[in-house]
Every structure is written in structure tokens, then in C-alpha cells.
Amino acid sequence: MAIRVVGGCSILRSASAPPLFAFRCSVHRSQFPLWVKLGIHFPVFRCEAQFISRRRVQSCSFHSLLDCVLEELALSKRKRVYAKAGITSGGELLEDKLVNRPLEKGLLLEFKKDSDRELLAVAHRPDGKKNWMVFDQNGVTTSIKPQQITFIVPGVENFDHTEISDFLKKAHDNLDPTLLEFAWFELLEKKQSVTTEELAEMIFGGSEPLESYCAHLLLSKDEIYFTVREAKGSRSIYGPRSAAQVEELLRRKLVKDAAEKELQEFIQLLTSAKAMPLRAKPPKSSWMTEDKVRCRIESLEAYAIDACKNDEQKKTAGMILKAMGMAKTASSAINLLIDIGYFPVHVNLDLLKLDIHTDHSDETISTAESLLSDSSDPDKIDRKDLTHLKVYAIDVDEADELDDALSAARLQDGRIKVWIHVADAARYVQPRSSLDREAMKRGTSVFLPTATYAMFPEKLAMEGMSLKQGEVCNAVTVSVVLHSDGSIAEYSVENSIIKPTYMLTYESASELLYLNLEEEVELKILSEAATLRLQWRRQQGAVDTTTIETRIKVSNPEDPEPSINLYVENQADPAMRLVSEMMILCGEVIATYGSYNNIPLPFRGQPQSNIDVSAFAHLPEGPIRSYAIVRNMRAAEMDFRKPIRHGVLGLPGYVQFTSPIRRYMDILAHYQVKAFLRGESPPFSAGQLEGIASIINMQTRLVRRLCNSSLRYWIIEYLRRQPKEKRFQALVLRFIKDRIAALLLVEVGLQASAWVSVGTQIGDEVQVQVEEALPRDDVLSLKEVL
């Protein structure tokens, strides 16, 4: 012990005590409002100790200074003796203090309702051998297990359960956690543990039921000053933590309180943004300016797409959602980010989840622009001038990248010659260059209803590589002379220059074919060649899988109600059939050319040994039959040394070659063929091609999944907006179970399911209405209109 005088006041301090307490001789009962409120009275004391905490000054009375010193010395001696015998400083055995009171009717007890709640209740009657029925504070009768009981309020007999609420109110209204600081110091000085009743006597001057329950609440909620030393059932003995522990816990509490304050400020930001009108919500960039706000928003975003990098992000997102009164689910995080304006209403979650590359880096764009300004052409002297040909480029009306174009003529002997011109993308990009590596990472351009993300930087893809009407363009041209039966008579592959004459949509090309204009005889010859080729392929066992295809263009996708333009195209349309047949012809020629010249290429094949086309002859020709056949087709295969039969196309070999701007495997084939044309060794061996293809195929599967889910989302959104009474035509594709049928909604090109009436068969047409359409949840509910 140490005694000194400061400013005329006596200060008592033990060697082990923290510098938090000062003593002076006076009495201030007003410093104990809780004691007065509870009606607890104290004896008259001769001296007072002043407790200086971080938050307030608390005064309390003690014995005289001399008595304190003598008592402390005696107490230390008793503690040493009791410790050896397992006896408390009060002379009682520890085991005696941990004796649980047996449950009886009328006892007031606290029990654990769930992991987050404790409730007060009155014991009513036994429920089986061990459980008890109780009336809880909410007026609910509940059966509880003994292990759920956390405290039995001492000194209570036959408590009226209707008075629980009043008892609780008195207890909570009079709790003062700072009282624990005083008790902690005195008990730390004495190195003494206490029960809840003893603590009540110490800080309230009595251990009546209300005081004891207040002491229990203070101890059970305390995370700073006390810890459980012994526990048995609902009885516990608490001991003071060391001064060093308390100091560290107080430091952590300050940090926690500061973090809680920051969280509440962030919650206020979210609440304010939610309440704003749609047009007035803060822009996405505003959430990124401050690091702490940005980290919380990023945690919510990661939680929304199930992409949390660590447990801290999950914890942060969970705390935010809980503070906002929302469930801890991904959908809650999505809705919150939409409500504050961070996500647009129609945010593409799959685009975020699959981590698809969209924007190009500044370095990649700079490299692409420097290539555009470079006019050198390594194949210039070998290019064949085909600018005299009439060239048709046929594609969808919103196509930004034009990869291919067509020419045709009838030879003097009556045979047809066609030219398939493919954009020479490899004229700008060298194998293994930085631009090539970036394209390989992407694997393909991404075409979504809301946007296009090009494999190459946009300016290079659209201005340098693409074929443009009326301009001289570099190309790789495959020319083919057909026999009268549609088979290949002659072919050649060469670098060329062309000058596209027409840029046509499928609709305009079909219209020109229908008009049969004399001045567009070349287009008619192309259509005739396509017909010959289709007949020949069918003779070789080709399987017709043409069906309908849906395209959607969404303008202003950031708006809550963007405009949706939906197009349903029949792949059997003359213009679409013309283009697809010429692309297939080009693929056959490149496979033959590669095989003849021993060039390693990504040869594609598709076995059809498990398809008996005659088994589907009973189905109506068109989408019904095509869908049935496609369901039974085996996956495509690849070989990089020699062609393999493509049974579905009816070809001995096939190489995709006509989309080098938008498909990496196509430009890979260009690298190999162009090297051979220059008399050089192919840049990639068969083994290297195989390794690259495995990476590309994995990426293209992700992109295909993204495109399919995006298309389906917007079709369902389109259907959601239609009048409820609108009827849609649907074809029965197959039966899933009993009368639940897979349907093809002809007007939108989407597959869905619905119950159909007895007597309806595969291929029949039914009418349906949309009962429910929820694009975010991928829900489309249809009902048949009888």
C-alpha cells in the first residue's frame, strides 16, 4: 500500500492498482441516483473514495483510511489461507455458491430464447421429466430445457407473470454500467470474486430481487471488467480482470465504438440515398471517392454476386444488411444496391459474377491505335486484286464488326464460282504480340442485348479490320467452283483486296432475292449455290437443325424502363440460309486446304453415330424436329493435326475461319494459313494449338452462358411488360411429365413450360397467357388458354 497527499486530499493506492481512483473525506449521496431510485439506504460513512473513469466521476463511501489499510492487510492474509482450502474470502466454499435452486412454480427466471435473445419468464409447471412450461415476458407459454436457463432471480416466491414487464422496465431504467468500474477496482484490490447477489450488496447496498437482477444484467452484458471464474447451471462466480486486460479491452472498445459510429454514418448515407427520387440518386462514382465508403460498397457488391474475397467482406456486408433491417442474403444486397442507385434496375449480375472482360486497358488501346497508323502490309505484293467483283456483305442491322462478304459469278461452262471474302484481321495482329495475348484472354467478342464488348479494341475492330462499303479492304479470299451437284470442283485460298458494294441486312437481302432483280443476278447466283450446297450436304448425311433465333436490342439500359426491340429470325430464311451455307463452304475448303498442305489447324467435328434422323420423321419439319434432334446430338470435338468428320454438317472436315474479328479460334486459323501463304512455318504447332484451344473453349463457354442468360432475362422482361390478357402462340416441343409440356413461344423464340390439355400432342400449337414474369428470379409462369 502507498499513502500520499495531493492538493490537501489523502490518496490511497496499492502497488497493483491502476491509477484510476482517488479518495477524499466527504459524503455525496447524490452521486448514486440508482441506489436512491431503487430505495436502497446505506449506513453513514466517515470517508469517501472518488473514482475517476474515462467517462464520468463516481463517488462512493468507505471506512476510514486507517481501517482500510488494516482491513486490507488482514484480507490479504485470509485470502492466502482460503485459497489453499478452496474457500472464498467470505468464508464459504466455492461449491456452496454454485448450488442451483431447484425449479418450482412461481420462480422468476431468465432463459435463452435463441442465440440473440434472453427472456424473463415465470415457472408454471413441469413438462415431462426435466423440461418446464413457463409464461414469458411476451405472454407466450413455452416449454424450456434446464440448460436454457441463464439466471434464477433470488428471493422470489410465486411471482405474478403479468408483472414481468413492470419488473423489466424498472431494471432497465435503472442500469448504470459505470457502477461496475467502482466494483471492479475494489475487487481487484482485494483479489476477490463475487456472485451476482454479492455484487448487488456491494454496489446497491442490498440483494433484493430487483437489485440482484440488475447486478446479473450488468455482469452478463459486461465485456470489460469481469469474467466468469466458475459456473454451474444458472449460477456463476465472477472475477475482476487484470488492469492490463481492462486497459486493452477499453482500447478495443474505443476502436469498436469508432467503427460503429462510422457504420451508422454509412447507414445514414444508404438510407438517405434510398429515399431520394430515382433521377436524384447519387452517381455510382460518388460511392468510390472515400476509401471507407468504397470498401463497404465493394463488400456489398461482392456479397451480391457471391464473390467475397475473404470473411471480412462477408462480415461487413452482413453487418450493413442487418443494420438496414434486411436479411443477410445476396438478393437483399442486390436490392439495396439498386435502391441507392449504385446498380441500375436491370444490372447484369452474370456479367459481374463471371468476371468477363469488358473494357480494354489504355495500353491496349494505345497499341491498337499505333497499328492503325501503320500502313505497312507484309502481304501487299501477294494480294490479288478482286475490286472488280460485286461484293455483298450481309449481316444483322446492328452489326458493328463486318467479318465476311460474298461474290458469285456463273462460268462459261455453266458452273457457279463463289468467293468468300474474310476480313484480314491478322494483317494488324501478330501471333504472341500483346494485342494477340489480350484477344486470347477474351476468346470472343461478347454480344449482349445491352452492349457489345469487342475482342479487339473497338477502333481497330471497326475501322481497321472490318470490311467497309465502298472502301478498298484487305481480305483473305476463299474461291470455290462447284460441280452441278454442289460438291467442290476447284478451290483456292489467297490474300486479296476487295471493295464491298453493298452492306445488306438479312431482311433487305431476302427482299432483293424475292424481287429477283436482273441487275442483282450475282445475289441470285449465290442463292442458287446455297441451295446446291444444302442438297449436297444432306446427301452426305447432314442434319438440318435450323430453328428460330431471337435477337434483342435494348437502348438506354440504365433506365428503369428501357426500350426493348425484339426480333425473331427464322434460320431457314433465304438470306440467312445463303450466308450460313457459304460460311460452311468456306470452313470445308480451309479444312481441305490445311489437310492437303499439312497445316496444323483447329479442325472441328461432331459425331452423329447416336442420331437416327429417321426416328424423328414423324415430327413436323422445322423447329419441332430441330429441337428434338439437337437434344440428342453429341458435343463437338476438335483435332489439330487432321480433319475429323463433322457428321451434323455432312462434311469430311471443317474449320471455323469466317469471324477473325470476333472469334479467337478463327484468327488462330488465319495465323496458320497466312504463314503458309508467305512460305513460312506455321507459328503454332498442333500441341500448342491444343493448349490454346482448351483455354479459349473454357472462356467461350462462360460467354455463351452469359449471352444465353442475358437474352432470357430480357425476353422475360419483355413479356412482363405485355398486357395480361395478351395471348401467345406456342408449339409443343415435348412432354416433361404428365401434361406438363416444354413449349416454344413462337413470337419471342423462348422455351418455357406449362400444363396443356388432354389430347394435345407434340407439334400441336396452343395459346398461352403470361401469369407471372420475374426476370431477376428467372421465373416465367404460363397458362394455357382453352
Side-chain angles (χ1 to χ4, degrees):
M1 302 287 289
I3 303 174
R4 60 192 180 92
V5 176
V6 178
C9 297
S10 299
I11 293 187
L12 173 66
R13 183 166 174 254
S14 74
S16 62
L20 297 176
F21 303 90
F23 299 81
R24 70 165 180 253
C25 293
S26 60
V27 176
H28 293 291
R29 282 196 173 204
S30 61
Q31 295 294 326
F32 300 97
L34 178 58
W35 300 344
V36 175
K37 289 177 184 177
L38 294 177
I40 302 171
H41 302 286
F42 296 89
V44 177
F45 296 104
R46 297 184 295 277
C47 186
E48 182 192 74
Q50 185 179 27
F51 168 55
I52 306 171
S53 75
R54 295 171 185 255
R55 297 184 294 278
R56 58 182 292 186
V57 176
Q58 190 80 25
S59 297
C60 47
S61 299
F62 288 104
H63 302 290
S64 70
L65 183 58
L66 182 59
D67 290 341
C68 281
V69 174
L70 294 174
E71 187 178 316
E72 180 72 20
L73 292 172
L75 180 64
S76 298
K77 184 175 181 180
R78 287 200 304 272
K79 282 181 181 177
R80 289 193 294 272
V81 174
Y82 291 158
K84 292 179 181 179
I87 303 173
T88 68
S89 57
E92 300 169 280
L93 288 169
L94 288 175
E95 288 80 0
D96 293 339
K97 290 191 175 188
L98 292 175
V99 173
N100 285 281
R101 184 176 179 180
L103 273 183
E104 299 173 4
K105 181 178 180 179
L107 289 186
L108 182 61
L109 56 89
E110 182 188 78
F111 73 95
K112 203 167 193 62
K113 178 69 173 177
D114 50 46
S115 59
D116 296 323
R117 289 186 300 166
E118 288 89 21
L119 300 180
L120 265 186
V122 174
H124 177 52
R125 60 176 173 81
D127 182 27
K129 291 184 178 180
K130 295 184 179 181
N131 296 355
W132 269 79
M133 297 298 296
V134 299
F135 294 115
D136 69 27
Q137 64 194 56
N138 298 318
V140 177
T141 304
T142 308
S143 177
I144 64 171
K145 300 175 181 179
Q147 54 265 39
Q148 288 179 258
I149 300 173
T150 52
F151 187 66
I152 298 176
V153 180
V156 174
E157 302 286 345
N158 298 318
F159 196 90
D160 185 349
H161 71 273
T162 62
E163 297 179 2
I164 296 178
S165 296
D166 185 55
F167 183 88
L168 269 174
K169 186 177 186 306
K170 287 180 181 178
H172 285 290
D173 285 350
N174 293 288
L175 286 181
D176 186 354
T178 57
L179 294 173
L180 283 178
E181 296 175 88
F182 154 68
W184 167 74
F185 172 73
E186 183 174 350
L187 293 169
L188 183 66
E189 285 283 306
K190 296 178 180 180
K191 298 181 180 177
Q192 184 177 341
S193 298
V194 290
T195 62
T196 51
E197 295 94 319
E198 289 169 342
L199 183 70
E201 286 277 1
M202 184 176 181
I203 62 177
F204 300 134
S207 56
E208 293 302 308
L210 186 58
E211 291 93 20
S212 294
Y213 187 59
C214 285
H216 163 71
L217 289 177
L218 287 171
L219 286 169
S220 62
K221 305 301 180 187
D222 173 53
E223 297 178 346
I224 304 294
Y225 299 102
F226 289 89
T227 185
V228 175
R229 291 283 167 82
E230 299 282 345
K232 185 176 180 182
S234 61
R235 299 283 295 168
S236 298
I237 294 176
Y238 296 86
R241 298 181 191 271
S242 70
Q245 285 178 314
V246 169
E247 190 69 22
E248 174 61 19
L249 290 171
L250 283 170
R251 184 192 67 78
R252 292 182 187 178
K253 187 174 186 300
L254 286 174
V255 173
K256 182 180 178 181
D257 289 346
E260 180 63 27
K261 182 181 177 183
E262 287 180 357
L263 176 62
Q264 290 307 314
E265 290 172 351
F266 179 71
I267 296 303
Q268 185 56 45
L269 280 177
L270 296 177
T271 305
S272 176
K274 278 186 69 175
M276 291 179 181
L278 186 64
R279 304 288 179 184
K281 291 187 187 293
K284 184 175 181 178
S285 58
S286 68
W287 299 98
M288 299 288 106
T289 53
E290 294 183 24
D291 287 345
K292 290 180 179 178
V293 172
R294 176 179 52 78
C295 286
R296 287 190 169 97
I297 286 291
E298 287 176 348
S299 294
L300 277 174
E301 183 175 353
Y303 198 85
I305 62 174
D306 195 24
C308 288
K309 297 175 182 177
N310 48 53
D311 290 339
E312 188 61 31
Q313 279 197 327
K314 287 183 181 178
K315 182 180 176 183
T316 299
M319 285 194 303
I320 294 168
L321 293 171
K322 183 178 179 181
M324 291 295 292
M326 304 175 76
K328 295 180 183 179
T329 61
S331 60
S332 293
I334 294 164
N335 292 333
L336 177 57
L337 291 170
I338 289 173
D339 288 343
I340 67 172
Y342 181 81
F343 277 168
V345 172
H346 298 286
V347 58
N348 191 327
L349 294 173
D350 282 336
L351 185 61
L352 300 175
K353 288 178 182 179
L354 298 175
D355 195 26
I356 301 293
H357 293 280
T358 54
D359 298 330
H360 288 275
S361 67
D362 292 341
E363 182 183 356
T364 301
I365 293 171
S366 177
T367 301
E369 289 177 350
S370 66
L371 288 171
L372 275 173
S373 61
D374 182 5
S375 59
S376 62
D377 177 12
D379 303 306
K380 185 175 182 179
I381 59 172
D382 295 322
R383 289 197 184 276
K384 188 171 185 178
D385 188 347
L386 298 176
T387 54
H388 63 283
L389 293 174
K390 184 182 285 187
V391 177
Y392 299 90
I394 306 171
D395 212 325
V396 294
D397 55 358
E398 69 267 18
D400 297 316
E401 308 162 350
L402 288 171
D403 293 281
D404 51 74
L406 304 168
S407 300
R410 193 176 300 279
L411 303 179
Q412 290 183 348
D413 59 7
R415 292 184 301 174
I416 293 174
K417 183 173 183 178
V418 297
W419 292 263
I420 301 108
H421 312 289
V422 183
D424 191 359
R427 170 248 187 272
Y428 290 99
V429 186
Q430 296 299 312
R432 299 186 180 87
S433 64
S434 61
L435 208 57
D436 170 68
R437 289 195 299 271
E438 183 62 27
M440 184 171 67
K441 287 180 187 176
R442 295 166 184 265
T444 179
S445 293
V446 182
F447 300 97
L448 302 179
T450 52
T452 296
Y453 303 108
M455 185 172 72
F456 291 107
E458 191 173 291
K459 195 171 183 181
L460 178 63
M462 296 176 189
E463 293 183 18
M465 296 176 173
S466 286
L467 304 178
K468 293 176 286 294
Q469 183 176 351
E471 296 184 23
V472 174
C473 306
N474 293 327
V476 177
T477 296
V478 172
S479 60
V480 187
V481 176
L482 298 176
H483 286 301
S484 58
D485 65 352
S487 61
I488 297 173
E490 304 170 17
Y491 70 85
S492 67
V493 180
E494 51 203 342
N495 295 303
S496 65
I497 54 172
I498 62 171
K499 191 174 183 180
T501 313
Y502 295 119
M503 296 295 183
L504 301 174
T505 64
Y506 287 115
E507 292 81 0
S508 58
S510 291
E511 187 175 348
L512 283 175
L513 287 170
Y514 177 76
L515 293 173
N516 196 21
L517 299 175
E518 190 63 36
E519 56 268 31
E520 301 301 336
V521 64
E522 293 87 353
L523 190 61
K524 184 179 179 181
I525 295 172
L526 280 170
S527 179
E528 185 181 336
T531 301
L532 289 175
R533 284 293 300 170
L534 177 59
Q535 290 173 350
W536 180 81
R537 289 195 305 107
R538 283 177 172 170
Q539 290 171 0
Q540 309 306 308
V543 180
D544 189 2
T545 58
T546 56
T547 182
I548 60 175
E549 189 173 280
T550 306
R551 286 189 297 110
I552 284 184
K553 193 72 174 177
V554 179
S555 54
N556 56 310
E558 298 290 316
D559 284 3
E561 293 286 326
S563 59
I564 303 174
N565 296 308
L566 184 144
Y567 311 90
V568 178
E569 299 166 337
N570 189 340
Q571 292 178 331
D573 172 84
M576 296 196 80
R577 181 78 83 177
L578 183 158
V579 172
S580 65
E581 284 299 330
M582 293 302 102
M583 300 306 106
I584 293 170
L585 173 60
C586 181
E588 183 187 357
V589 170
I590 294 298
T592 305
Y593 185 74
S595 176
Y596 181 80
N597 294 292
N598 201 28
I599 306 171
L601 288 170
F603 298 100
R604 288 181 175 270
Q606 193 165 27
Q608 60 174 130
S609 57
N610 61 333
I611 298 179
D612 180 7
V613 178
S614 63
F616 303 94
H618 66 287
L619 297 175
E621 195 171 356
I624 302 297
R625 188 182 296 178
S626 293
Y627 276 111
I629 292 172
V630 168
R631 277 176 52 81
N632 287 275
M633 283 168 48
R634 290 167 58 183
E637 298 176 358
M638 296 190 76
D639 195 296
F640 303 91
R641 294 169 176 79
K642 63 182 185 304
I644 52 177
R645 176 169 173 74
H646 201 304
V648 174
L649 294 180
L651 302 177
Y654 178 69
V655 173
Q656 287 186 330
F657 193 77
T658 57
S659 296
I661 304 175
R662 58 184 77 176
R663 285 195 307 238
Y664 187 77
M665 292 304 292
D666 291 44
I667 200 170
L668 204 56
H670 277 242
Y671 291 153
Q672 301 291 91
V673 169
K674 284 176 66 64
F676 179 81
L677 290 174
R678 287 194 294 268
E680 300 172 359
S681 298
F684 299 103
S685 67
Q688 290 170 327
L689 289 179
E690 187 172 3
I692 294 170
S694 64
I695 298 171
I696 301 305
N697 290 338
M698 183 168 59
Q699 183 67 14
T700 52
R701 279 195 294 270
L702 290 179
V703 171
R704 192 180 305 116
R705 175 180 158 190
L706 170 65
C707 293
N708 290 341
S709 66
S710 300
L711 182 64
R712 182 175 174 84
Y713 176 96
W714 285 105
I715 294 176
I716 296 176
E717 172 64 13
Y718 174 84
L719 292 171
R720 184 187 69 82
R721 299 187 190 183
Q722 303 307 303
K724 285 290 184 183
E725 65 277 6
K726 184 173 180 178
R727 299 182 178 189
F728 296 88
Q729 289 181 314
L731 294 174
V732 178
L733 298 177
R734 59 189 173 89
F735 284 94
I736 301 170
K737 182 180 180 182
D738 298 329
R739 302 308 301 173
I740 303 297
L743 305 176
L744 173 64
L745 297 181
V746 178
E747 289 138 291
V748 294
L750 180 71
Q751 286 192 52
S753 61
W755 182 92
V756 295
S757 54
V758 176
T760 305
Q761 303 296 319
I762 293 176
D764 286 354
E765 183 178 297
V766 296
Q767 286 195 328
V768 296
Q769 286 180 327
V770 176
E771 282 192 313
E772 187 176 34
L774 303 172
R776 178 68 64 211
D777 300 319
D778 192 27
V779 171
L780 179 62
S781 178
L782 305 174
K783 68 174 181 179
E784 183 186 15
V785 180
L786 299 175

